Amino acid sequence: MDASSLDISVSAQPIEVRFGDGETKVFTSAFRIGRTATCEICIANGFVSRVHARVSPEGEGWRVTDLNSSNGIFWQGSRVESVFVASSEVVRLGVEGPELSFRVQEKPTPVARPLQAVPDSTGNVQPGDMEAYVKRYFREPAEGEAVGEHTRYIRMAFAQVQTQQKKVHSRQKGILLGAIGGLALIGLLIGAYAFRLQREGRHQRELARNLFYAMKSLDVEIASAEQAALIADPAKGMATVARYEGRRKEMQQNYDQFLATLHIYDTKSTEQHRLILRVARIFGECELDMPPDFENEVMRYINMWRSTGRFARDIQTAKDKGFTRSIPDALLNRGLPVQFFYLAMQESDFDPYRSGPMTRKGYAKGMWQFIPETAVKYGLHLGPLVDLGRADPGDERDHAERATEAATRYIQTLYSTDAQASGLLVMACYNWGEGQVLPLVRSMPQNPRERNFWKLLSNHRNQIPQETYDYVFYITSAAVIGENPRLFGFDFDNPLEGSH
């Protein structure tokens, strides 16, 4: 029956929303949900974006739409762009955020117009409405329906004929259908089981992926809170950081359980493969989204390290000067991965007095190769030989401890802003941030799911300078080697052992 045969019109009904500790609101027009007070439903929660979602009437129901939030909206365990509420639905803000219950208020029951042809007092139907005739005498009777004797006998006779016909057909086809049906059932069960496993596997991967990017969003919050704590109220700020880190630890445990279920770090895979996955994760990239050629590319740069004596020489230099302890300690104090240690190795081979080539912004100097402008921004004093490409005792860029402190602050700033907790994006921005790379990074959406190194490679590979591409892969491959140098033919152990 179509809408034109109804005696009432169709319109959207008010929607009731239950959230928080049982608070309920009813809306008759579109409204927003978010963390700011300007939203009609305001929820103070770390998983909720400032303006997270919009709810608006649509047809006979309402639609809940994600407004490009960091943590998304979830329905029945999966992240979705929108949810249509026809009667009632439960939607979660973020993979582990607050739940909201939506219920569309009931509408009056539609009343159908009667059929055009109606049996007369003798039980006969007037010609011209065969459809009505068939519906009256040959359909299944509704429960409790009152019918005349004439109608009842016709229905009984029709049912008896159907039963006899079914018995004849069943005898004729029984043997053949039994054999075929048995085989088909077995095949169907096997196919259904395989499909179920495949579907559950995809669902588990998507949940794990959503949880990972929720963790990265929280990492951005933690890094921002740490920076704010040092500037404003250290005690209050660090209490906030501690609360975030507790939540982060719980999420990490849940994510590890997902990976175990999915066998991502399967013992059947090579140790090199597992190390590359682990380092990518340490640097803030999701193992589940790793491009298929990334591992081969890392191995190519590992072989470049192995073809020279540079890696062993640099590690020995760092050990002799105490950098294998001082640099990781400075990074840990900023909540950063200690593997950024290898960024200094790529910049200067751990030479505190290294002077780079002249650039349009002056000479880059020191172990972390600061250009003058960035050095001043992060509190380093320039020396009298700033315009000469040589060591300068009066330049704090050549002071290893002070330059390391400034470098970790700079890395933390990139990590919590432009790089959105992607360590590989941090490297790219550090190498050529104000040239071609930073504009590319800032053109991507500002959330870890859409702004990470995998996305940069996918969307802008041809625009990334080769120097920056090499830079990122040299550091990443060095970090992989550093996790287990003996595996790659070096005769020493992890230089950062004990600093993780």
Side-chain angles (χ1 to χ4, degrees):
M1 184 181 299
D2 60 28
S4 63
S5 65
L6 299 178
D7 289 333
I8 62 172
S9 60
V10 178
S11 61
Q13 300 300 305
I15 188 168
E16 176 185 291
V17 188
R18 185 178 297 275
F19 58 96
D21 297 327
E23 184 177 353
T24 301
K25 288 187 177 182
V26 177
F27 296 90
T28 57
S29 59
F31 59 95
R32 297 174 303 167
I33 304 168
R35 206 170 63 230
T36 63
T38 58
C39 294
E40 286 76 12
I41 293 183
C42 179
I43 302 175
N45 184 284
F47 283 93
V48 181
S49 296
R50 292 172 58 82
V51 181
H52 200 109
R54 175 183 174 84
V55 185
S56 54
E58 182 176 309
E60 298 184 14
W62 293 71
R63 183 167 295 279
V64 184
T65 304
D66 181 28
L67 296 179
N68 196 30
S69 63
S70 295
N71 294 318
I73 63 174
F74 288 76
W75 175 68
Q76 296 185 352
S78 298
R79 181 165 180 164
V80 295
E81 294 297 325
S82 66
V83 178
F84 182 73
V85 183
S87 57
S88 64
E89 299 289 351
V90 176
V91 176
R92 186 183 291 275
L93 307 182
V95 68
E96 292 190 353
E99 284 188 344
L100 292 86
S101 298
F102 297 89
R103 185 178 68 84
V104 179
Q105 295 184 351
E106 294 183 0
K107 297 186 292 186
T109 305
V111 179
R113 291 196 180 103
L115 294 170
Q116 293 179 351
V118 181
D120 58 20
S121 59
T122 65
N124 296 320
V125 178
Q126 297 298 321
D129 200 339
M130 180 59 71
E131 181 181 0
Y133 187 88
V134 171
K135 287 182 178 179
R136 179 167 185 82
Y137 292 110
F138 300 107
R139 65 173 171 80
E140 289 291 330
E143 183 177 354
E145 179 184 5
V147 298
E149 185 177 7
H150 179 73
T151 301
R152 186 169 66 254
Y153 277 123
I154 291 177
R155 288 181 179 177
M156 290 173 60
F158 180 66
Q160 186 174 0
V161 171
Q162 280 188 314
T163 301
Q164 291 174 348
Q165 288 177 335
K166 287 178 181 177
K167 288 181 179 179
V168 173
H169 288 301
S170 295
R171 285 194 297 269
Q172 292 175 341
K173 298 181 180 179
I175 297 176
L176 180 60
L177 290 179
I180 296 175
L183 293 174
L185 178 61
I186 293 172
L188 181 63
L189 290 174
I190 293 174
Y193 182 68
F195 176 75
R196 179 184 175 187
L197 290 179
Q198 185 180 34
R199 184 179 62 183
E200 288 182 353
R202 288 197 302 266
H203 183 63
Q204 291 287 313
R205 289 179 74 90
E206 186 58 27
L207 285 176
R209 185 179 288 108
N210 289 328
L211 183 56
F212 179 89
Y213 289 114
M215 285 193 300
K216 299 317 294 178
S217 293
L218 189 57
D219 286 341
V220 174
E221 295 284 349
I222 292 172
S224 299
E226 285 176 336
Q227 286 183 311
L230 295 174
I231 297 172
D233 186 343
K236 183 178 179 180
M238 295 316 293
T240 301
V241 169
R243 185 171 67 255
Y244 282 167
E245 287 179 339
R247 183 59 179 153
R248 175 65 164 77
K249 186 176 181 180
E250 292 178 13
M251 296 169 70
Q252 182 69 62
Q253 292 171 347
N254 291 335
Y255 182 66
D256 289 339
Q257 291 175 1
F258 273 119
L259 294 186
T261 301
L262 296 169
H263 305 290
I264 300 302
Y265 289 86
D266 198 317
T267 54
K268 295 180 182 179
S269 61
T270 66
E271 178 65 15
Q272 290 95 326
H273 172 73
R274 293 194 292 273
L275 280 179
I276 291 171
L277 286 177
R278 182 173 182 270
V279 168
R281 176 178 170 183
I282 287 171
F283 280 130
E285 300 296 334
C286 183
E287 306 102 314
L288 302 173
D289 291 335
M290 189 172 79
D293 58 344
F294 182 79
E295 181 177 350
N296 290 336
E297 194 71 341
V298 171
M299 287 302 302
R300 185 167 73 88
Y301 282 81
I302 286 174
N303 290 331
M304 292 182 190
W305 282 112
R306 295 171 64 183
S307 67
T308 70
R310 181 187 165 202
F311 188 91
R313 286 197 306 271
D314 285 357
I315 294 301
Q316 189 59 53
T317 297
K319 288 180 178 179
D320 293 343
K321 296 181 178 181
F323 295 153
T324 54
R325 288 293 173 265
S326 62
I327 293 177
D329 286 348
L331 290 165
L332 285 174
N333 287 339
R334 295 278 175 187
L336 296 168
V338 296
Q339 285 76 10
F340 278 120
F341 165 87
Y342 297 100
L343 189 150
M345 185 166 84
Q346 180 63 18
E347 285 286 355
S348 66
D349 299 316
F350 298 114
D351 179 1
Y353 306 107
R354 174 73 58 88
S355 288
M358 183 63 176
T359 71
R360 63 187 180 86
K361 294 200 173 184
Y363 285 101
K365 290 189 177 184
M367 184 163 59
W368 297 92
Q369 289 291 282
F370 276 110
I371 60 172
E373 179 183 319
T374 308
V376 171
K377 182 177 180 180
Y378 287 90
L380 296 177
H381 296 292
L382 304 179
L385 306 181
V386 64
D387 294 326
L388 299 177
R390 52 174 289 187
D392 185 351
D395 197 317
E396 290 188 333
R397 291 178 292 175
D398 288 349
H399 189 287
E401 183 177 347
R402 292 172 190 166
T404 297
E405 175 63 21
T408 56
R409 286 178 56 207
Y410 182 28
I411 292 171
Q412 185 184 47
T413 299
L414 290 172
Y415 188 84
S416 62
T417 55
D418 293 312
Q420 288 290 288
S422 165
L424 301 186
L425 279 189
V426 167
M427 299 173 200
C429 294
Y430 194 102
N431 175 253
W432 204 337
E434 296 179 8
Q436 293 172 267
V437 175
L438 197 53
L440 295 178
V441 170
R442 288 176 175 171
S443 71
M444 296 189 288
Q446 193 171 350
N447 66 75
R449 176 182 284 271
E450 301 298 331
R451 185 183 289 193
N452 54 64
F453 192 68
W454 303 152
K455 291 290 186 181
L456 184 69
L457 284 180
S458 175
N459 299 334
H460 304 291
R461 173 63 188 95
N462 294 334
Q463 297 168 269
I464 302 173
Q466 187 62 37
E467 176 189 328
T468 299
Y469 185 86
D470 292 338
Y471 185 86
V472 172
F473 276 96
Y474 268 121
I475 296 172
T476 303
S477 57
V480 172
I481 295 172
E483 292 298 293
N484 187 355
R486 296 186 186 279
L487 181 66
F488 300 98
F490 297 92
D491 61 353
F492 51 87
D493 295 320
N494 185 343
L496 305 182
E497 192 69 47
S499 61
H500 291 57

